[in-house]
Amino acid sequence: MDYETIICFETHVELKTKTKLFCNCLVKYGAPPNSQVCPVCTGQPGALPVLNKKAVDYSIRAGLALDCTINRRSQFARKNYFYPDLPKGYQISQYERPFCEDGYLEITGDDGLPYIVGIKRIHLEEDAGKLVHSSSTFKTSDYSLVDYNRSSIPLLEIVMDHERNPLRSVNEARVYLEKLRQILRYIEISDCMLEKGQFRCDVNVSIRPRGSQGFGNRVEIKNMSSFKYIMDALQYEIKRQSEVLEAHGNINQETRLFDEKKRITLAMRSKEDAPDYRYFPDPDLVEVDIDGEFIKNIQKNMPEMPDQRVNRIIEAYGIPKNEVLILTKNKNISDFFENCASFCNDRKRASSWIIKDLFKLLNDASIPVEKCLISPRDFSLLITFLSEGHVTDKIGRIVLEEMFKTGEGPDAIIEKRGLKPIDDSDTLEKILDEAISENPEVLAQIKMGMTKSINFLIGQMMKKTEGRANPKKVRELLHKRFRKVV
Ligand SMILES: [Zn+2]
């Protein structure tokens, strides 16, 4: 039978506020265990939470970016469950009235058309602490330690809507996650580093016979923090579920874990529902009344969204769309490009040098563009040198590499390393004579009309000058010398 897939995400995003959600402890990744804690975030009796305004600001920013309705009156609730990394025995979250509801995110679907994915709600909650087991798994560990540094870091949960355009394939799931992460980075509320646990997903997946209306039982795979693992887990789970249905079996509504080594999902427990958590309004926190001015102010300061930026860059600089999509994936890269564009006229060359050459250097050094020593002004100067033929592409790459290492300007590097192009006709003539006398057979070949030999001579001249011979001048010279043949 032919099945269709329904995928929905609940994405947890750690907000990059300076302090935690309900106390003044710093949000600091990699600090010594239990060094960023106080009575509030370790749940000591009598300690009272005070809401961090910045976290509310960030939640609303996310809501506006995803076209949600912002609830003017909102409330925190206690989600009751026991786990050693949750010292209060409950998590402060939002239940009945989250900050944001009914939004959407537009992606490009598998059919190449825009697809509007429904966002049900965005709520703010506190993160739990972190258990560190003495061995790789809980079962094989002699003991576990708990680090409360993460306890009460603001966590935004973005919940997709099952009933409004859920994702239909593993590929769309990937596109959704990438787009969501891109937007959250654009609005600068989280760095969304998966390896630091700042962007974690629970993913629901079910299948149903194609064309049917009802939903099959959902399986939830919890706490995924790598795009690759999410895709592997989904692929495995879709196959597993269709095999169960083919064999006339039942799919249990359950929570499963992804085994990263075996690349399979394993049943963990039957899925809990909201009543299991005995939500009730947190009596320690007053209801949050959000002022219209507060929302307006956030709206006014919202940065340009990625889709708008793509369209504007195409229009303003005439860069092909496939390149613009690469440039705008990361806000800092697009800022770098636009900075360069303000300094030089050859924007197409700037774009292609960023994508091909600068990206390679950044990747090899594993650093983000904002840590790169090259200033947009210097980068543009190099692009101008390339456009005007002051340096060849080959020399340009050498210069760029040096700029990347030292932060020096291209003019200084060219001067210091003697990389100025050789334009002078007499010098070039001499180099050509040398190349011919070292390879006397080429003359005969050229006379016989073998144009390949001309290219061979160009190559020899470039080699002798270490790429500094001005290629335009070299071609002119050869043309002049062998006019009758070429
Ligand atoms: Zn604290």
Side-chain angles (χ1 to χ4, degrees), residues 20 22-26 36-42 148 151-152:
K20 291 186 180 179
F22 298 114
C23 60
N24 278 328
C25 292
L26 293 179
Q36 313 298 319
V37 294
C38 74
V40 177
C41 56
T42 51
Y148 288 117
S151 174
S152 224

Side-chain angles (χ1 to χ4, degrees), residues 154-271:
L155 204 59
L156 203 62
E157 184 170 337
I158 299 156
V159 183
M160 269 180 61
D161 194 338
H162 275 95
E163 307 200 344
R164 274 194 302 138
N165 289 357
L167 302 158
R168 303 163 293 187
S169 71
V170 177
N171 182 56
E172 284 186 353
R174 187 185 53 77
V175 174
Y176 168 82
L177 288 180
E178 281 177 356
K179 187 81 181 274
L180 179 63
R181 184 176 58 164
Q182 182 193 33
I183 288 174
L184 298 172
R185 283 177 169 169
Y186 260 71
I187 58 174
E188 295 177 346
I189 64 168
S190 172
D191 292 330
C192 298
M193 305 280 273
L194 278 87
E195 62 277 21
K196 290 185 180 171
Q198 294 164 345
F199 189 96
R200 320 191 293 259
C201 300
D202 299 341
V203 54
N204 283 294
V205 53
S206 63
I207 59 169
R208 65 181 175 196
R210 190 169 296 283
S212 64
Q213 288 304 308
F215 291 103
N217 270 345
R218 294 203 306 260
V219 163
E220 184 179 51
I221 312 163
K222 271 224 168 296
N223 232 344
M224 307 284 293
S225 56
S226 139
F227 282 4
K228 183 169 187 331
Y229 290 158
I230 295 170
M231 301 311 131
D232 287 353
L234 281 173
Q235 233 133 22
Y236 175 83
E237 192 52 32
I238 292 163
K239 186 165 171 279
R240 185 190 72 83
Q241 291 186 19
S242 40
E243 281 167 6
V244 171
L245 291 188
E246 285 299 314
H248 304 290
N250 284 326
I251 291 161
N252 297 326
Q253 180 137 332
E254 62 187 358
T255 299
R256 296 176 74 90
L257 273 185
F258 182 62
D259 184 320
E260 293 166 4
K261 277 198 189 123
K262 295 187 188 146
R263 302 283 156 116
I264 57 171
T265 64
L266 297 166
M268 190 167 87
R269 56 167 189 251
S270 63
K271 188 172 162 33

Side-chain angles (χ1 to χ4, degrees), residues 60-61 64 294-303:
I60 293 172
R61 233 191 265 186
L64 293 173
F294 186 67
I295 301 175
K296 252 193 224 156
N297 216 12
I298 296 171
Q299 191 136 36
K300 212 170 67 196
N301 293 309
M302 285 288 279

